[in-house]
PDB file of all heavy atoms in Angstrom:
ATOM      1  N   GLY A  19      94.982  84.038 109.867  1.00 57.00           N
ATOM      2  CA  GLY A  19      93.543  84.212 109.944  1.00 57.00           C
ATOM      3  C   GLY A  19      93.085  85.646 110.104  1.00 57.00           C
ATOM      4  O   GLY A  19      91.905  85.907 110.280  1.00 57.00           O
ATOM      5  N   ILE A  20      94.006  86.575 110.034  1.00 73.00           N
ATOM      6  CA  ILE A  20      93.654  87.991 110.131  1.00 73.00           C
ATOM      7  C   ILE A  20      93.152  88.445 108.764  1.00 73.00           C
ATOM      8  O   ILE A  20      93.760  88.159 107.740  1.00 73.00           O
ATOM      9  CB  ILE A  20      94.877  88.832 110.563  1.00 73.00           C
ATOM     10  CG1 ILE A  20      95.307  88.433 111.970  1.00 73.00           C
ATOM     11  CG2 ILE A  20      94.569  90.318 110.492  1.00 73.00           C
ATOM     12  CD1 ILE A  20      96.595  89.080 112.429  1.00 73.00           C
ATOM     13  N   GLY A  21      92.052  89.165 108.721  1.00 85.00           N
ATOM     14  CA  GLY A  21      91.483  89.637 107.474  1.00 85.00           C
ATOM     15  C   GLY A  21      92.314  90.754 106.860  1.00 85.00           C
ATOM     16  O   GLY A  21      93.162  91.365 107.522  1.00 85.00           O
ATOM     17  N   VAL A  22      92.038  91.037 105.592  1.00 88.00           N
ATOM     18  CA  VAL A  22      92.786  92.047 104.850  1.00 88.00           C
ATOM     19  C   VAL A  22      92.643  93.425 105.495  1.00 88.00           C
ATOM     20  O   VAL A  22      93.637  94.134 105.681  1.00 88.00           O
ATOM     21  CB  VAL A  22      92.331  92.094 103.371  1.00 88.00           C
ATOM     22  CG1 VAL A  22      92.965  93.260 102.638  1.00 88.00           C
ATOM     23  CG2 VAL A  22      92.654  90.796 102.672  1.00 88.00           C
ATOM     24  N   VAL A  23      91.422  93.801 105.867  1.00 90.00           N
ATOM     25  CA  VAL A  23      91.193  95.122 106.458  1.00 90.00           C
ATOM     26  C   VAL A  23      91.946  95.252 107.777  1.00 90.00           C
ATOM     27  O   VAL A  23      92.607  96.267 108.028  1.00 90.00           O
ATOM     28  CB  VAL A  23      89.672  95.382 106.657  1.00 90.00           C
ATOM     29  CG1 VAL A  23      89.439  96.681 107.405  1.00 90.00           C
ATOM     30  CG2 VAL A  23      88.965  95.412 105.315  1.00 90.00           C
ATOM     31  N   GLU A  24      91.872  94.222 108.602  1.00 90.00           N
ATOM     32  CA  GLU A  24      92.571  94.265 109.889  1.00 90.00           C
ATOM     33  C   GLU A  24      94.091  94.287 109.690  1.00 90.00           C
ATOM     34  O   GLU A  24      94.801  95.013 110.385  1.00 90.00           O
ATOM     35  CB  GLU A  24      92.170  93.064 110.751  1.00 90.00           C
ATOM     36  CG  GLU A  24      92.677  93.148 112.170  1.00 90.00           C
ATOM     37  CD  GLU A  24      92.205  91.999 113.045  1.00 90.00           C
ATOM     38  OE1 GLU A  24      91.299  91.259 112.627  1.00 90.00           O
ATOM     39  OE2 GLU A  24      92.762  91.849 114.143  1.00 90.00           O
ATOM     40  N   ALA A  25      94.582  93.521 108.707  1.00 88.00           N
ATOM     41  CA  ALA A  25      96.021  93.509 108.417  1.00 88.00           C
ATOM     42  C   ALA A  25      96.484  94.891 107.949  1.00 88.00           C
ATOM     43  O   ALA A  25      97.552  95.361 108.362  1.00 88.00           O
ATOM     44  CB  ALA A  25      96.337  92.451 107.368  1.00 88.00           C
ATOM     45  N   LEU A  26      95.676  95.537 107.108  1.00 91.00           N
ATOM     46  CA  LEU A  26      96.021  96.891 106.657  1.00 91.00           C
ATOM     47  C   LEU A  26      96.031  97.876 107.816  1.00 91.00           C
ATOM     48  O   LEU A  26      96.887  98.755 107.888  1.00 91.00           O
ATOM     49  CB  LEU A  26      95.041  97.364 105.577  1.00 91.00           C
ATOM     50  CG  LEU A  26      95.202  96.724 104.205  1.00 91.00           C
ATOM     51  CD1 LEU A  26      94.007  97.050 103.322  1.00 91.00           C
ATOM     52  CD2 LEU A  26      96.503  97.152 103.553  1.00 91.00           C
ATOM     53  N   ASP A  27      95.078  97.726 108.731  1.00 91.00           N
ATOM     54  CA  ASP A  27      95.023  98.599 109.905  1.00 91.00           C
ATOM     55  C   ASP A  27      96.277  98.432 110.766  1.00 91.00           C
ATOM     56  O   ASP A  27      96.867  99.414 111.217  1.00 91.00           O
ATOM     57  CB  ASP A  27      93.768  98.307 110.718  1.00 91.00           C
ATOM     58  CG  ASP A  27      93.575  99.283 111.864  1.00 91.00           C
ATOM     59  OD1 ASP A  27      93.759 100.501 111.646  1.00 91.00           O
ATOM     60  OD2 ASP A  27      93.249  98.834 112.977  1.00 91.00           O
ATOM     61  N   ILE A  28      96.704  97.204 110.947  1.00 92.00           N
ATOM     62  CA  ILE A  28      97.927  96.928 111.725  1.00 92.00           C
ATOM     63  C   ILE A  28      99.138  97.527 111.023  1.00 92.00           C
ATOM     64  O   ILE A  28      99.978  98.183 111.652  1.00 92.00           O
ATOM     65  CB  ILE A  28      98.099  95.409 111.962  1.00 92.00           C
ATOM     66  CG1 ILE A  28      97.006  94.894 112.901  1.00 92.00           C
ATOM     67  CG2 ILE A  28      99.493  95.103 112.517  1.00 92.00           C
ATOM     68  CD1 ILE A  28      96.900  93.384 112.957  1.00 92.00           C
ATOM     69  N   LEU A  29      99.248  97.306 109.700  1.00 88.00           N
ATOM     70  CA  LEU A  29     100.366  97.868 108.931  1.00 88.00           C
ATOM     71  C   LEU A  29     100.384  99.386 109.006  1.00 88.00           C
ATOM     72  O   LEU A  29     101.436 100.003 109.158  1.00 88.00           O
ATOM     73  CB  LEU A  29     100.284  97.431 107.467  1.00 88.00           C
ATOM     74  CG  LEU A  29     100.689  96.014 107.151  1.00 88.00           C
ATOM     75  CD1 LEU A  29     100.384  95.694 105.693  1.00 88.00           C
ATOM     76  CD2 LEU A  29     102.160  95.796 107.440  1.00 88.00           C
ATOM     77  N   LYS A  30      99.216  99.974 108.897  1.00 90.00           N
ATOM     78  CA  LYS A  30      99.098 101.438 108.940  1.00 90.00           C
ATOM     79  C   LYS A  30      99.631 101.975 110.266  1.00 90.00           C
ATOM     80  O   LYS A  30     100.357 102.965 110.305  1.00 90.00           O
ATOM     81  CB  LYS A  30      97.623 101.809 108.758  1.00 90.00           C
ATOM     82  CG  LYS A  30      97.318 103.272 108.786  1.00 90.00           C
ATOM     83  CD  LYS A  30      95.855 103.545 108.479  1.00 90.00           C
ATOM     84  CE  LYS A  30      94.962 102.949 109.547  1.00 90.00           C
ATOM     85  NZ  LYS A  30      93.574 103.417 109.482  1.00 90.00           N
TER      86      LYS A  30
END
Side-chain angles (χ1 to χ4, degrees):
I20 296 173
V22 172
V23 174
E24 189 176 348
L26 286 168
D27 186 44
I28 292 167
L29 284 173
K30 180 175 64 167

